[in-house]
Amino acid sequence: MKHRIIVIMGMLTLASFGVSAQKVTPAADPKSVSADTLAKPLLRVLKKVAIGGTIRTRYNATFNKHIDIDGLQHSNLNDKFADNAFTIPNARLYVAGDISEKLDVYVRVNFGDFKGTPTSKVLEYAYATYHLNPYLNVRMGVFRPNFGREDDVATDFLKSFDFSNQYTAFDENGWMNYQMGLSIMGQVKAGDIPIKYFAGVFNGNRRNNFTDDDNGKQFPARVEVDFSKNLQVGINGGLGKEYGASISAWGADVNFERQLSHRLHLEVESEFKQGNNQSLFFSQDIAGTSVSNYMMRGAYILPSVMYKVNSKEVKGFEASFKYEYFDPNFKRDGNVRQQYVPMVGVDFAEQYALRLQFGVVMDRYDHNIENTTQYNSNRFLTQLQIRF
């Protein structure tokens, strides 16, 4: 425990040193400050302010009887549920700006989370980054720990309809997605090969609680190596404790890109992860078991092809196919989930600013469990993305 405290104190010292190293700008004469500036203190502090967002609307419909749009099976024929519906999974708004040449802030909220229980969910990002130099940067707040390739891909640029199922599971266990903590990151070179690194300490209880309810912390780390402009390899590893139980996780990912012609672009994403499923362990609370017996693992591959058109009306067409294997508890009674997601899309603006997608989500389990989402299903979906 002592060495973890030393690591945390060292990171905090770096962060405080970075902030104190800023140049102090003399305060403006109060008499010269306009009433408009006083009414907008944010604009007085932030420089190069950027405001933007994303709206994603989706239509879901199931092909199976007695299964709702979330994949939940209903054995009671009298249950009331929807097997088709329009939803808004994302309605995001962000504000980003520079406080100084070295310090910037980023805040993002997702109003789409109001569709469920919004408590402590609407806020997605709220962090500050201090850039000491290209080799060392410090970030603190709520952000993604960079524990896999998907943490580095914005929702706006997903090739499929959503993140992988393993991403959701490692999010629930504190390793990925929006977590509260501190991280250091940077880029170095080994000859001509760029290498990025990320290392941090996080509460490990997702963004649901602004105050931690457990003294245990999680220490994830990642290294990315760009062997060429077409090939990137990432390796992840993490250790931690939750309610006194030791936990760990690791993984690797490979991303390959190639320009097949001046119009045709190929990309293949693949990833594998394995680690403790402590969220399942603590939720079941079975006597005589330990967290070491609760292990999850998953892998996916996602090839996609983009064909550029560059006309006034249409910029390109894209086709992708994701296959994923995920077992939430392979040491005990895991129920393997295999998912197949073919999708096609049309881009009406550059960089997915206006995109329309169609696809089918096919889930297959080792065994069906009534009245749960662990049930074979087929869903059709279409979604429209508008980024501004």
Side-chain angles (χ1 to χ4, degrees):
M1 187 64 185
K2 290 183 179 179
H3 72 279
R4 291 177 180 170
I5 294 175
I6 292 173
V7 172
I8 296 172
M9 293 302 296
M11 290 181 174
L12 290 173
T13 301
L14 280 173
S16 61
F17 170 78
V19 174
S20 63
Q22 297 178 58
K23 294 182 179 180
V24 178
T25 304
D29 183 353
K31 295 181 181 179
S32 65
V33 178
S34 68
D36 182 61
T37 304
L38 287 172
K40 301 176 180 178
L42 178 65
L43 299 181
R44 185 177 61 188
V45 175
L46 296 181
K47 303 173 183 178
K48 300 179 182 177
V49 179
I51 299 175
T54 302
I55 298 174
R56 181 179 289 107
T57 62
R58 182 181 294 170
Y59 174 75
N60 246 340
T62 60
F63 295 133
N64 309 91
K65 293 182 179 180
H66 316 307
I67 294 180
D68 64 23
I69 60 171
D70 296 317
L72 178 64
Q73 194 269 346
H74 299 261
S75 61
N76 187 347
L77 302 182
N78 296 320
D79 282 354
K80 293 182 179 180
F81 62 89
D83 59 11
N84 71 95
F86 291 96
T87 61
I88 302 180
N90 301 123
R92 291 189 169 113
L93 183 67
Y94 74 83
V95 177
D98 298 335
I99 293 178
S100 71
E101 292 181 356
K102 291 184 174 291
L103 183 66
D104 59 62
V105 296
Y106 186 91
V107 177
R108 191 177 79 185
V109 294
N110 182 10
F111 297 105
D113 281 328
F114 278 113
K115 65 182 180 293
T117 304
T119 306
S120 299
K121 289 185 179 181
V122 174
L123 181 65
E124 291 185 333
Y125 282 118
Y127 64 83
T129 306
Y130 189 80
H131 307 270
L132 282 86
N133 52 56
Y135 316 107
L136 180 60
N137 305 279
V138 183
R139 179 171 293 172
M140 191 171 183
V142 181
F143 56 95
R144 293 176 177 175
N146 284 94
F147 196 68
R149 173 167 176 78
E150 289 182 290
D151 261 348
D152 195 38
V153 178
T155 313
D156 306 357
F157 295 92
L158 286 175
K159 304 296 183 180
S160 193
F161 82 104
D162 211 341
F163 290 105
S164 66
N165 301 307
Q166 66 165 272
Y167 183 82
T168 302
F170 279 84
D171 165 28
E172 292 173 349
N173 286 276
W175 296 109
M176 302 188 76
N177 210 351
Y178 311 111
Q179 308 291 337
M180 295 189 68
L182 180 146
S183 182
I184 59 173
M185 63 200 75
Q187 180 172 310
V188 296
K189 275 193 173 184
D192 294 329
I193 300 177
I195 300 175
K196 297 177 183 178
Y197 75 89
F198 308 85
V201 52
F202 295 83
N203 285 341
N205 58 347
R206 310 174 76 184
R207 55 179 169 144
N208 294 338
N209 297 304
F210 283 100
T211 57
D212 201 359
D213 58 356
D214 171 35
N215 286 330
K217 295 291 182 287
Q218 293 179 213
F219 298 82
R222 173 174 172 81
V223 175
E224 289 179 7
V225 182
D226 292 331
F227 288 101
S228 69
K229 65 178 182 179
N230 296 327
L231 180 63
Q232 180 192 80
V233 176
I235 300 174
N236 317 286
L239 298 171
K241 277 198 172 184
E242 185 167 334
Y243 299 113
S246 296
I247 56 175
S248 64
W250 69 278
D253 51 90
V254 179
N255 188 66
F256 175 78
E257 295 184 62
R258 186 164 185 178
Q259 194 70 35
L260 301 178
S261 70
H262 72 286
R263 290 184 181 273
L264 201 60
H265 181 80
L266 170 70
E267 182 170 356
V268 181
E269 299 176 26
S270 60
E271 190 164 3
F272 172 86
K273 274 196 176 65
Q274 179 171 306
N276 293 110
N277 193 342
Q278 67 269 16
S279 64
L280 180 61
F281 168 71
F282 288 115
S283 67
Q284 292 188 346
D285 193 22
I286 299 175
T289 62
S290 68
V291 71
S292 62
N293 297 125
Y294 284 73
M295 297 291 294
M296 59 182 177
R297 64 183 171 197
Y300 73 86
I301 183 169
L302 174 58
S304 62
V305 177
M306 166 69 78
Y307 182 79
K308 292 186 178 180
V309 178
N310 292 326
S311 68
K312 290 183 178 180
E313 294 78 16
V314 177
K315 300 301 179 182
F317 297 95
E318 186 176 58
S320 67
F321 183 90
K322 184 185 77 170
Y323 166 75
E324 181 175 7
Y325 174 100
F326 180 72
D327 191 335
N329 196 7
F330 64 86
K331 280 193 173 184
R332 288 176 58 85
D333 53 355
N335 189 10
V336 173
R337 178 183 187 179
Q338 297 187 76
Q339 189 175 73
Y340 309 84
V341 187
M343 294 201 75
V344 294
V346 184
D347 296 326
F348 299 98
E350 298 288 349
Q351 297 293 307
Y352 297 157
L354 181 58
R355 176 169 65 165
L356 180 64
Q357 290 177 290
F358 304 91
V360 178
V361 180
M362 296 172 280
D363 280 312
R364 297 294 180 269
Y365 289 89
D366 274 359
H367 52 273
N368 290 327
I369 303 176
E370 289 188 342
N371 300 309
T372 72
T373 55
Q374 296 183 49
Y375 208 94
N376 293 347
S377 65
N378 303 286
R379 291 177 289 153
F380 166 79
L381 64 88
T382 179
Q383 63 182 18
L384 176 67
Q385 174 174 292
I386 303 170
R387 189 162 51 82
F388 56 91

